């Protein structure tokens, strides 16, 4: 089946060490009875010296075009640069 995917995102460096980002995406399942799949993500990253800590929250609705097939996920990363 044909589908159209649209995605938008923005990020902002609050300071030299701290940044935030937000993105959304939609899959429009054209010519089918499938529900539109909608996703979003919010992220934050902090760097101090050689250590970066980042976290994000992801939300998905109607995954695969199936109504009420919703999922949420969280992610935490710590990176060390030597």
């Amino acid at each position: 089946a044909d589908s159209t995917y649209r995605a938008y995102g923005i990020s902002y460096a609050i300071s030299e060490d701290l940044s935030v980002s937000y993105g959304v995406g939609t899959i429009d399942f054209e010519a089918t009875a499938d529900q539109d799949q909608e996703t979003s993500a919010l992220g934050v990253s902090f760097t101090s010296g050689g250590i970066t800590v980042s976290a994000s929250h992801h939300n998905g609705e109607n995954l695969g075009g199936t109504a009420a097939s919703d999922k949420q996920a969280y992610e935490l990363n710590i990176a060390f640069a030597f």
Side-chain angles (χ1 to χ4, degrees):
D2 292 329
S3 62
T4 302
Y5 180 68
R6 294 179 308 278
Y8 309 94
I10 188 169
S11 62
Y12 182 72
I14 296 171
S15 70
E16 187 174 296
D17 302 324
L18 181 65
S19 63
V20 295
S21 62
Y22 179 73
V24 295
T26 301
I27 298 176
D28 181 4
F29 296 101
E30 300 169 355
T32 69
D34 292 345
Q35 300 292 312
D36 290 352
Q37 176 177 306
E38 298 177 356
T39 56
S40 63
L42 175 65
V44 63
S45 176
F46 177 76
T47 302
S48 180
I51 300 174
T52 300
V53 178
S54 60
S56 60
H57 174 260
H58 306 263
N59 186 48
E61 297 178 0
N62 303 325
L63 299 176
T66 303
S69 177
D70 304 340
K71 302 284 185 200
Q72 291 188 19
Y74 299 91
E75 185 174 350
L76 177 63
N77 294 295
I78 299 174
F80 300 92
F82 298 100

